[in-house]
Amino acid sequence: ETGVTQSPTHLIKTRGQQVTLRCSSQSGHNTVSWYQQALGQGPQFIFQYYREEENGRGNFPPRFSGLQFPNYSSELNVNALELDDSALYLCASRRERGLNTGELFFGEGSRLTVL
Amino acid sequence: AQSVSQHNHHVILSEAASLELGCNYSYGGTVNLFWYVQYPGQHLQLLLKYFSGDPLVKGIKGFEAEFIKSKFSFNLRKPSVQWSDTAEYFCAVSSGGGADGLTFGKGTHLIIQP
C-alpha cells in the first residue's frame, strides 16, 4: 500500500465525452505526476504538478489538463475523448520536485474505456 | 528525446534459475535509472534506482542492476528466482531534472514456474 489513492477505479465513457480522474497523494508529498498506460505498453508521462503549478509535460495534446490543490491532491481532465484514450491512468507522488530526491509512489490506477 | 528498450517482452523461468532482464536507453546526458515491478493486482513499486556512484546497485528482494555507461545499459539480475517473482518489470530513465518525468520501457512479463 503506497498511500496514493485514485478514483474511480474503472469507468466507461463514449467518444467525445469528458472525464475527470482524481488522485490523493501520499501524506507529505508535494509533487504529483500522471501517466497513461495503454495495454501492453509501459506508462507514458503526461504531466507533473509541483505546488499547484504544472512544471513538466510529456507529448500529450492540450485536451489533457490537470489541477493540483493546496492539499496536494490532483485531477486529470481529458476532453473530447477518443478511442485511443482507453488506458490505465496512473497517478504518482513524491516528496520533492526532482526525481533524484525521492522515490515515486504509484497508485493502482483508473482504468478508462472509451466506446 | 529519451527512449528505453527492453529486449524481452515475455520470459519464462523455473524456480532457482538465474535471471537477467535487458534494458538499454538512448540519451546522451546525465541519467537516473530505475527498475519498477508490478506484481499481479498490485501497484507499480520501485525495485532499485541508480543516480550516481557505484554502478552496481542493489534493490529489494535480492535484485541488483548494473549501469554500464558505455553500453547505455542497465540490466536487472537475480541469481535465483522464486515463484513470487512472477510480475511485470519495467525499466525507466529520467534526465535528472525531474520535470520531464520518467520514460518507461514496454515492460517484461516474467513468469516463474514452480
Side-chain angles (χ1 to χ4, degrees), chain B residues 26-45:
Chain B
S26 68
Y27 184 71
T30 302
V31 291
N32 297 326
L33 295 157
F34 307 81
W35 275 96
Y36 277 83
V37 62
Q38 188 168 29
Y39 297 105
Q42 296 187 25
H43 57 271
L44 272 169
Q45 55 187 283

Side-chain angles (χ1 to χ4, degrees), chain A residues 6-12 19-22 89 109-112:
Chain A
Q6 294 186 241
S7 64
T9 54
H10 296 82
L11 70 166
I12 299 173
V19 69
T20 298
L21 307 178
R22 294 177 176 83
Y89 288 85
S110 294
R111 184 163 297 283
L112 171 65

Side-chain angles (χ1 to χ4, degrees), chain A residues 2 35 41-42 45 55-56 99 104, chain B residues 36 43 51 99-100 102 105-106:
Chain A
T2 61
Y35 290 79
Q41 304 293 318
F45 176 63
N55 78 330
L99 275 169
L104 208 56
Chain B
Y36 277 83
H43 57 271
F51 292 149
D100 56 354
L102 291 175
K106 290 187 176 182

